[in-house]
Amino acid sequence: MSSIESGKQTFEPRIIAFFCNWCTYTAADLAGTARMSYAPNVRVVRIMCSGRLDPQFILSALREGADGVLIGGCHPGDCHYQEGNYKALRRFTLLKRFLRSMGIEDERIRLEWIAASEGDKVQRVINEMTETVRALGPLHLEAMSMERIEDVIPSELKAETVAASGGHHE
Amino acid sequence: MSKPKVAFYWCASCGGCEEAVVDLAEDILEVVKAVDITFWPVALDFKRGDVEEMADKELAVSFINGAVRSSEQAEMVHLLRAKSQLVVAFGSCAHLGGIPGLANTFDREAMFREVYSNVPGLDNEEGTVPVPESVVPEGTLSLPTLWDTVKTLDQVTEVDYYLPGCPPPVKLIKNAVNAIVSGQLPPHKSVLAPDIALCDECDRLATKPDKLSIKEFKRPHTSVIDPEKCILAQGFLCLGPVTRQGCDAACVKGNMPCTGCMGPTSRVHDFGTKALSAMASLADSNDENEIENILGKIVDPVGSFYRYSLPASLLHRGYVPSVQGGRKQ
């Protein structure tokens, strides 16, 4: 993540998109054949159904360096497997609340229903999400790593500070 | 021939794991007959120095319980690792981080502020907090450093086997000790419990419907649990379907839902997310607002699904924005 050091303006968000085979992936294909251009920040992973999206995939994506995760499925009622997108919606609803408790902003994960004919929606959603995540900045992965702060004694907890202030307090 | 030497140690834990050893009751005599307990701070008067004097690998096995969250615990863990042929992560905290692991939604700064300054009725006007070094007229006093992040045992050192549970069921402890004493060890790094979900050994399995769907999630302190029927089917968050068995469904026998202390089966990477996923998909609605309402009854997703496993999760810990820009390096 060397782009971070040189300032936020050069930060290019990395977004992992999970698109369902039957609707959203087809729509992304359509956007491609129609030569619509959109932000290059999204890496698309095709899955058979948004209902196949195990929330573990989302956390893995974030842990491996994604700044945001986009999920695309068929419109309600249109799921190729009848109910898969509703399952995705239920999981997404609860997962978002979990991520919020973990200090991860709501805007970093987004669920959209995009039908096979909606190539323009793929374009719009990807562009919007790239800008939203760009504004948020990188995911604070370093601050969430296990490696930081162990035997290092932070300077504010060193003895001099204590002696000088008579006690450590905010 | 001398008996194999065994050590017990505790890190960030409640003492329940030590209690589980005592729960072996008269069977502990069998254990003592088979092994020499050479280090067990809670029960025996051996000191750290006695361990330091041991030869490397002199201990056959160290059972270490508790999560690791301070420099002192890490030192002891590394010391015991060097002196032991086998290290067993004993109990949920050592295995997955356990209840202390929920502190990973905070950091040290936030915890200190809460505990030493915000708690109502606290008498600490000088704002004293534990510091690693304090200068007093007699010299410098030192304390172990508390870490920002609670870790599982295997995030600190190499672990050979895991005994899950909060605390581990007596039956599993006995099996583990027998396996070690007899040298008939299961595959390296395995969890010493059956690799199948809890529902399978639950007395109420017959009352679990084929297709579960939940209109209203309930909580044990606000609703009465029917002592005969599947607890999950009644709308209480019972994590049996995603939790490893081996406890004989002890909580369900006590008419309480499973909270997942045995952790996941081997196919699952992240217990909490898997549990969250399983429970969320049971919400009986296809309408966005209604789904929101049904799942809104699950008031604390972190505490409900990651009660014993936050440090072992894919995220490990939450992000805590620095309050005063005083965040360390």
Side-chain angles (χ1 to χ4, degrees):
Chain A
M1 290 220 197
S2 56
S3 58
I4 305 162
E5 271 128 61
S6 48
K8 231 180 198 172
Q9 57 274 22
T10 61
F11 162 65
E12 282 298 336
R14 273 181 293 196
I15 296 167
I16 298 295
F18 294 101
F19 286 167
C20 93
N21 178 57
W22 304 98
C23 292
T24 314
Y25 192 85
T26 312
D29 233 5
L30 179 66
T33 46
R35 297 182 161 272
M36 293 176 187
S37 63
Y38 51 80
N41 302 59
V42 169
R43 278 78 158 167
V44 179
V45 179
R46 176 163 61 165
I47 51 179
M48 287 309 281
C49 176
S50 54
R52 171 64 183 92
L53 182 66
D54 188 324
Q56 289 180 113
F57 299 174
I58 300 176
L59 298 197
S60 299
L62 296 172
R63 173 49 69 200
E64 298 294 321
D67 302 299
V69 174
L70 171 63
I71 305 146
C74 307
H75 282 272
D78 286 352
C79 177
H80 187 81
Y81 307 100
Q82 316 287 343
E83 292 261 314
N85 52 358
Y86 294 125
K87 287 216 160 85
L89 173 62
R90 296 173 201 152
R91 292 175 184 142
F92 177 80
T93 307
L94 196 52
L95 186 73
K96 214 157 147 157
R97 278 189 38 228
F98 159 67
L99 290 176
R100 201 181 299 153
S101 320
M102 298 292 282
I104 294 176
E105 300 90 337
D106 281 6
E107 295 85 351
R108 289 193 193 274
I109 59 166
R110 179 166 173 173
L111 174 66
E112 285 289 342
W113 309 133
I114 304 177
S117 58
E118 296 179 309
D120 52 334
K121 191 171 178 185
V122 170
Q123 180 188 39
R124 177 173 62 79
V125 166
I126 286 180
N127 284 340
E128 274 177 18
M129 184 154 181
T130 304
E131 285 324 301
T132 312
V133 176
R134 193 194 304 280
L136 284 176
L139 184 74
H140 313 281
L141 206 59
E142 215 167 295
M144 294 170 70
S145 80
M146 301 299 279
E147 283 70 41
R148 63 176 200 153
I149 319 282
E150 293 185 356
D151 306 314
V152 189
I153 298 167
S155 54
E156 77 262 33
L157 292 184
K158 282 223 171 107
E160 314 73 278
T161 330
V162 183
S165 66
H168 171 73
H169 196 42
E170 41 179 316
Chain B
M1 203 182 94
S2 65
K3 295 189 278 186
K5 292 180 181 168
V6 169
F8 289 98
Y9 192 69
W10 51 1
C11 294
S13 64
C14 66
C17 283
E18 324 283 334
E19 191 65 41
V21 178
V22 178
D23 280 346
L24 286 169
E26 51 270 30
D27 287 339
I28 193 128
L29 299 174
E30 292 298 315
V31 174
V32 174
K33 215 187 281 173
V35 301
D36 246 342
I37 301 175
T38 49
F39 184 61
W40 191 9
V42 76
L44 303 171
D45 191 21
F46 291 104
K47 302 281 191 266
R48 175 176 167 152
D50 300 310
V51 181
E52 281 166 346
E53 280 168 20
M54 290 177 190
D56 280 0
K57 309 263 180 234
E58 186 175 327
L59 290 162
V61 53
S62 284
F63 292 97
I64 302 179
N65 70 70
V68 185
R69 62 161 331 160
S70 78
S71 55
E72 180 202 23
Q73 289 159 359
E75 274 175 39
M76 282 307 296
V77 163
H78 291 310
L79 176 64
L80 286 167
R81 175 71 265 186
K83 305 294 181 188
S84 312
Q85 291 158 39
L86 293 175
V87 166
V88 176
F90 191 96
S92 303
C93 298
H95 180 205
L96 301 167
I99 300 222
L102 286 171
N104 280 359
T105 51
F106 306 93
D107 63 2
R108 174 176 47 209
E109 220 174 294
M111 265 187 295
F112 277 10
R113 199 165 43 243
E114 191 61 28
V115 173
Y116 295 104
S117 141
N118 290 349
V119 172
L122 189 75
D123 183 15
N124 184 14
E125 274 178 21
E126 287 172 10
T128 308
V129 297
V131 289
E133 286 177 3
S134 328
V135 183
V136 292
E138 294 81 6
T140 304
L141 299 174
S142 66
L143 277 178
T145 318
L146 190 75
W147 293 350
D148 255 343
T149 300
V150 180
K151 295 188 179 192
T152 66
L153 187 60
D154 68 1
Q155 286 165 346
V156 178
T157 193
E158 167 115 358
V159 169
D160 299 293
Y161 293 103
Y162 303 85
L163 252 174
C166 183
V170 166
K171 184 178 75 178
L172 298 185
I173 300 175
K174 277 196 274 188
N175 288 349
V177 172
N178 287 339
I180 290 163
V181 171
S182 67
Q184 287 171 328
L185 290 162
H188 192 222
K189 294 195 184 291
S190 52
V191 176
L192 304 175
D195 196 10
I196 183 167
L198 177 70
C199 290
D200 202 61
E201 68 174 359
C202 179
D203 294 339
R204 304 187 194 190
L205 180 61
T207 64
K208 184 181 173 192
D210 286 340
K211 189 176 186 303
L212 276 162
S213 57
I214 294 172
K215 258 278 179 286
E216 191 194 352
F217 282 102
K218 297 174 198 154
R219 306 178 76 192
H221 62 285
T222 54
S223 303
V224 178
I225 302 176
D226 183 318
E228 306 289 330
K229 294 196 190 105
C230 169
I231 293 183
L232 182 55
Q234 297 177 53
F236 298 90
L237 276 185
C238 181
L239 302 188
V242 287
T243 303
R244 192 185 276 266
Q245 64 170 241
C247 60
D248 292 323
C251 292
V252 179
K253 283 205 172 79
N255 207 28
M256 285 300 276
C258 168
T259 54
C261 73
M262 296 286 284
T265 55
S266 61
R267 276 87 58 199
V268 173
H269 290 294
D270 188 307
F271 178 82
T273 317
K274 205 66 188 171
L276 178 150
S277 171
M279 296 300 143
S281 48
L282 301 181
D284 187 12
S285 172
N286 289 342
D287 173 76
E288 203 173 326
N289 291 328
E290 203 184 354
I291 290 174
E292 191 98 42
N293 285 337
I294 294 173
L295 297 176
K297 291 276 166 54
I298 300 173
V299 293
D300 175 17
V302 182
S304 303
F305 301 120
Y306 284 100
R307 186 168 303 177
Y308 306 94
S309 66
L310 194 56
S313 71
L314 285 161
L315 291 180
H316 306 318
R317 57 162 300 121
Y319 171 62
V320 186
S322 160
V323 183
Q324 300 176 311
R327 181 146 211 112
K328 323 75 202 182
Q329 43 277 8

